[in-house]
Structures are given as structure tokens and as C-alpha cells.
Amino acid sequence: MAAKVPRNFRLLEELEKGEKGLGAEACSYGLKDGDDLLMTNWNGTILGPPHSVHENRIYSLNIHCGDTYPDLPPTVQFVSKINLPCVDQRTGRVDPSKLPCLSQWRRDYTMETILIELRRQVRQNLPQCCLTDHAWIRFMALPQHKKLPQPPEGTTFA
């Protein structure tokens, strides 16, 4: 049985990876406030996937890692307005039941996992109408999502 890494050590690992840009090219994340010793509030950024209405857009998110992280998932909320089925259109909050990595959270998932999942969704979790021969499909670029009308660029949730 592997040792359970304490919350702060885990968050320090994620901070280092995020600050050094060692993660996915289309996603970034870091502490909202460098003085946040508990490493609770984070910023995330997702670059919209090409060949979709999200192309050339930069989406900002807030990620809140509570005391139970990484045993339980963080809360995620878009700052930038975006029209996706997993996002509450009034608040920008991501509905954990509609994003597989949050609804099926595992301790080894990270903030980067969430940001990547928002760009793509595992084939087995897609509705039958969305299945293709590819193992991964970009969530934002799914056929039913890639042409969804989007709010004007630069608008934010209140």
C-alpha cells in the first residue's frame, strides 16, 4: 500500500508543475494569491480548442481546493462566460455530476486533470450519438458543443 501524500505536499507538487509550465500546453494554473499559505484558491486557464467556436479564446477559471482536497475534488467555476452543458449559465460553476473527472473523482486526479477534462471527455462517458473511433474527444469541440453560440468574448460571470 502506497503512502498517502499530505494535502500541502500534494499542492506544492501541483504548484511547482503549474509554475514551471510542465503540464498540458493548452491549460495553465497557479495560486490566486502567492501569500495563500494554505494553497486554497487557484486560477486556471484553458485555451479554446481549434476548429470550434472556442478557437482563439482564453477561458479563466477559479479553483477552490478545500481542506478535503485531494480526497475530494475542488470546486471549479468559470470566470469567463462560456456555454457548455456542464457549466451553470448563471454562476459559471461547473456541475460535478456533469463532468466525469469530478463525478468519479480519484485522489490521484489533479487540477490539471480537470482542466484537460474540460477540453476533452473519455469516449466511454459520451452519449451514444457522440462516439467516434478516437479514444479521446475534445469536450468543447464535440459536434454538439463546437458550434454552440458563445457569449461575447471577454464577458464574465458576475
Side-chain angles (χ1 to χ4, degrees), residues 130-143:
C130 304
L131 295 177
T132 70
D133 292 334
H134 299 91
W136 294 93
I137 297 179
R138 299 190 185 287
F139 189 72
M140 290 179 180
L142 287 170

PDB file of all heavy atoms in Angstrom, residues 130-143:
ATOM      1  N   CYS A 130     -22.356  10.498 -29.832  1.00  0.00           N
ATOM      2  CA  CYS A 130     -21.088  11.220 -29.937  1.00  0.00           C
ATOM      3  C   CYS A 130     -19.884  10.307 -30.112  1.00  0.00           C
ATOM      4  O   CYS A 130     -18.763  10.784 -30.207  1.00  0.00           O
ATOM      5  CB  CYS A 130     -20.857  12.066 -28.688  1.00  0.00           C
ATOM      6  SG  CYS A 130     -22.187  13.200 -28.366  1.00  0.00           S
ATOM      7  N   LEU A 131     -20.080   8.998 -30.102  1.00  0.00           N
ATOM      8  CA  LEU A 131     -18.947   8.088 -30.183  1.00  0.00           C
ATOM      9  C   LEU A 131     -18.302   8.124 -31.558  1.00  0.00           C
ATOM     10  O   LEU A 131     -18.964   8.202 -32.574  1.00  0.00           O
ATOM     11  CB  LEU A 131     -19.395   6.659 -29.864  1.00  0.00           C
ATOM     12  CG  LEU A 131     -19.890   6.448 -28.434  1.00  0.00           C
ATOM     13  CD1 LEU A 131     -20.382   5.017 -28.272  1.00  0.00           C
ATOM     14  CD2 LEU A 131     -18.813   6.755 -27.425  1.00  0.00           C
ATOM     15  N   THR A 132     -16.987   8.070 -31.556  1.00  0.00           N
ATOM     16  CA  THR A 132     -16.215   8.004 -32.789  1.00  0.00           C
ATOM     17  C   THR A 132     -15.145   6.951 -32.596  1.00  0.00           C
ATOM     18  O   THR A 132     -15.086   6.288 -31.574  1.00  0.00           O
ATOM     19  CB  THR A 132     -15.532   9.356 -33.115  1.00  0.00           C
ATOM     20  OG1 THR A 132     -14.487   9.563 -32.163  1.00  0.00           O
ATOM     21  CG2 THR A 132     -16.524  10.502 -33.090  1.00  0.00           C
ATOM     22  N   ASP A 133     -14.259   6.840 -33.554  1.00  0.00           N
ATOM     23  CA  ASP A 133     -13.170   5.873 -33.454  1.00  0.00           C
ATOM     24  C   ASP A 133     -12.027   6.375 -32.572  1.00  0.00           C
ATOM     25  O   ASP A 133     -11.097   5.639 -32.294  1.00  0.00           O
ATOM     26  CB  ASP A 133     -12.619   5.552 -34.847  1.00  0.00           C
ATOM     27  CG  ASP A 133     -13.627   4.795 -35.686  1.00  0.00           C
ATOM     28  OD1 ASP A 133     -14.486   4.100 -35.091  1.00  0.00           O
ATOM     29  OD2 ASP A 133     -13.567   4.900 -36.907  1.00  0.00           O
ATOM     30  N   HIS A 134     -12.079   7.628 -32.153  1.00  0.00           N
ATOM     31  CA  HIS A 134     -10.998   8.181 -31.344  1.00  0.00           C
ATOM     32  C   HIS A 134     -11.234   7.898 -29.870  1.00  0.00           C
ATOM     33  O   HIS A 134     -12.352   7.985 -29.385  1.00  0.00           O
ATOM     34  CB  HIS A 134     -10.910   9.693 -31.564  1.00  0.00           C
ATOM     35  CG  HIS A 134     -10.616  10.035 -32.988  1.00  0.00           C
ATOM     36  ND1 HIS A 134     -11.610  10.254 -33.920  1.00  0.00           N
ATOM     37  CD2 HIS A 134      -9.452  10.168 -33.641  1.00  0.00           C
ATOM     38  CE1 HIS A 134     -11.065  10.519 -35.087  1.00  0.00           C
ATOM     39  NE2 HIS A 134      -9.758  10.485 -34.942  1.00  0.00           N
ATOM     40  N   ALA A 135     -10.172   7.613 -29.146  1.00  0.00           N
ATOM     41  CA  ALA A 135     -10.297   7.321 -27.722  1.00  0.00           C
ATOM     42  C   ALA A 135     -10.628   8.588 -26.932  1.00  0.00           C
ATOM     43  O   ALA A 135     -11.315   8.538 -25.934  1.00  0.00           O
ATOM     44  CB  ALA A 135      -9.016   6.691 -27.199  1.00  0.00           C
ATOM     45  N   TRP A 136     -10.114   9.735 -27.344  1.00  0.00           N
ATOM     46  CA  TRP A 136     -10.368  10.997 -26.653  1.00  0.00           C
ATOM     47  C   TRP A 136     -11.034  11.961 -27.617  1.00  0.00           C
ATOM     48  O   TRP A 136     -10.698  12.024 -28.773  1.00  0.00           O
ATOM     49  CB  TRP A 136      -9.062  11.633 -26.177  1.00  0.00           C
ATOM     50  CG  TRP A 136      -8.384  10.849 -25.131  1.00  0.00           C
ATOM     51  CD1 TRP A 136      -7.421   9.901 -25.310  1.00  0.00           C
ATOM     52  CD2 TRP A 136      -8.612  10.900 -23.722  1.00  0.00           C
ATOM     53  NE1 TRP A 136      -7.036   9.373 -24.112  1.00  0.00           N
ATOM     54  CE2 TRP A 136      -7.750   9.976 -23.119  1.00  0.00           C
ATOM     55  CE3 TRP A 136      -9.454  11.650 -22.924  1.00  0.00           C
ATOM     56  CZ2 TRP A 136      -7.716   9.782 -21.743  1.00  0.00           C
ATOM     57  CZ3 TRP A 136      -9.403  11.449 -21.564  1.00  0.00           C
ATOM     58  CH2 TRP A 136      -8.546  10.531 -20.992  1.00  0.00           C
ATOM     59  N   ILE A 137     -12.001  12.714 -27.114  1.00  0.00           N
ATOM     60  CA  ILE A 137     -12.670  13.734 -27.911  1.00  0.00           C
ATOM     61  C   ILE A 137     -12.661  15.009 -27.098  1.00  0.00           C
ATOM     62  O   ILE A 137     -12.953  14.999 -25.910  1.00  0.00           O
ATOM     63  CB  ILE A 137     -14.118  13.328 -28.233  1.00  0.00           C
ATOM     64  CG1 ILE A 137     -14.119  12.066 -29.069  1.00  0.00           C
ATOM     65  CG2 ILE A 137     -14.844  14.441 -28.946  1.00  0.00           C
ATOM     66  CD1 ILE A 137     -15.496  11.584 -29.417  1.00  0.00           C
ATOM     67  N   ARG A 138     -12.380  16.098 -27.719  1.00  0.00           N
ATOM     68  CA  ARG A 138     -12.368  17.368 -27.001  1.00  0.00           C
ATOM     69  C   ARG A 138     -13.787  17.739 -26.599  1.00  0.00           C
ATOM     70  O   ARG A 138     -14.665  17.857 -27.429  1.00  0.00           O
ATOM     71  CB  ARG A 138     -11.752  18.455 -27.865  1.00  0.00           C
ATOM     72  CG  ARG A 138     -10.320  18.128 -28.218  1.00  0.00           C
ATOM     73  CD  ARG A 138      -9.632  19.307 -28.860  1.00  0.00           C
ATOM     74  NE  ARG A 138      -8.316  18.948 -29.291  1.00  0.00           N
ATOM     75  CZ  ARG A 138      -7.284  18.739 -28.497  1.00  0.00           C
ATOM     76  NH1 ARG A 138      -7.431  18.830 -27.211  1.00  0.00           N
ATOM     77  NH2 ARG A 138      -6.111  18.420 -28.977  1.00  0.00           N
ATOM     78  N   PHE A 139     -13.988  17.951 -25.297  1.00  0.00           N
ATOM     79  CA  PHE A 139     -15.318  18.267 -24.775  1.00  0.00           C
ATOM     80  C   PHE A 139     -15.864  19.529 -25.428  1.00  0.00           C
ATOM     81  O   PHE A 139     -16.998  19.567 -25.874  1.00  0.00           O
ATOM     82  CB  PHE A 139     -15.255  18.428 -23.253  1.00  0.00           C
ATOM     83  CG  PHE A 139     -16.589  18.554 -22.586  1.00  0.00           C
ATOM     84  CD1 PHE A 139     -17.419  17.446 -22.477  1.00  0.00           C
ATOM     85  CD2 PHE A 139     -17.012  19.758 -22.077  1.00  0.00           C
ATOM     86  CE1 PHE A 139     -18.655  17.550 -21.853  1.00  0.00           C
ATOM     87  CE2 PHE A 139     -18.240  19.868 -21.451  1.00  0.00           C
ATOM     88  CZ  PHE A 139     -19.060  18.760 -21.345  1.00  0.00           C
ATOM     89  N   MET A 140     -15.057  20.570 -25.493  1.00  0.00           N
ATOM     90  CA  MET A 140     -15.506  21.810 -26.104  1.00  0.00           C
ATOM     91  C   MET A 140     -15.743  21.655 -27.596  1.00  0.00           C
ATOM     92  O   MET A 140     -16.531  22.389 -28.179  1.00  0.00           O
ATOM     93  CB  MET A 140     -14.502  22.939 -25.868  1.00  0.00           C
ATOM     94  CG  MET A 140     -14.419  23.426 -24.460  1.00  0.00           C
ATOM     95  SD  MET A 140     -13.171  24.723 -24.356  1.00  0.00           S
ATOM     96  CE  MET A 140     -13.268  25.119 -22.627  1.00  0.00           C
ATOM     97  N   ALA A 141     -15.046  20.715 -28.218  1.00  0.00           N
ATOM     98  CA  ALA A 141     -15.136  20.554 -29.664  1.00  0.00           C
ATOM     99  C   ALA A 141     -16.032  19.387 -30.071  1.00  0.00           C
ATOM    100  O   ALA A 141     -16.023  18.984 -31.228  1.00  0.00           O
ATOM    101  CB  ALA A 141     -13.738  20.374 -30.254  1.00  0.00           C
ATOM    102  N   LEU A 142     -16.818  18.835 -29.147  1.00  0.00           N
ATOM    103  CA  LEU A 142     -17.774  17.794 -29.518  1.00  0.00           C
ATOM    104  C   LEU A 142     -18.726  18.368 -30.559  1.00  0.00           C
ATOM    105  O   LEU A 142     -19.042  19.560 -30.522  1.00  0.00           O
ATOM    106  CB  LEU A 142     -18.573  17.333 -28.299  1.00  0.00           C
ATOM    107  CG  LEU A 142     -17.823  16.467 -27.297  1.00  0.00           C
ATOM    108  CD1 LEU A 142     -18.657  16.285 -26.040  1.00  0.00           C
ATOM    109  CD2 LEU A 142     -17.476  15.134 -27.897  1.00  0.00           C
ATOM    110  N   PRO A 143     -19.207  17.549 -31.471  1.00  0.00           N
ATOM    111  CA  PRO A 143     -20.096  18.066 -32.516  1.00  0.00           C
ATOM    112  C   PRO A 143     -21.236  18.922 -31.963  1.00  0.00           C
ATOM    113  O   PRO A 143     -21.541  19.975 -32.500  1.00  0.00           O
ATOM    114  CB  PRO A 143     -20.624  16.799 -33.197  1.00  0.00           C
ATOM    115  CG  PRO A 143     -19.544  15.790 -32.970  1.00  0.00           C
ATOM    116  CD  PRO A 143     -18.961  16.121 -31.617  1.00  0.00           C
TER     117      PRO A 143
END
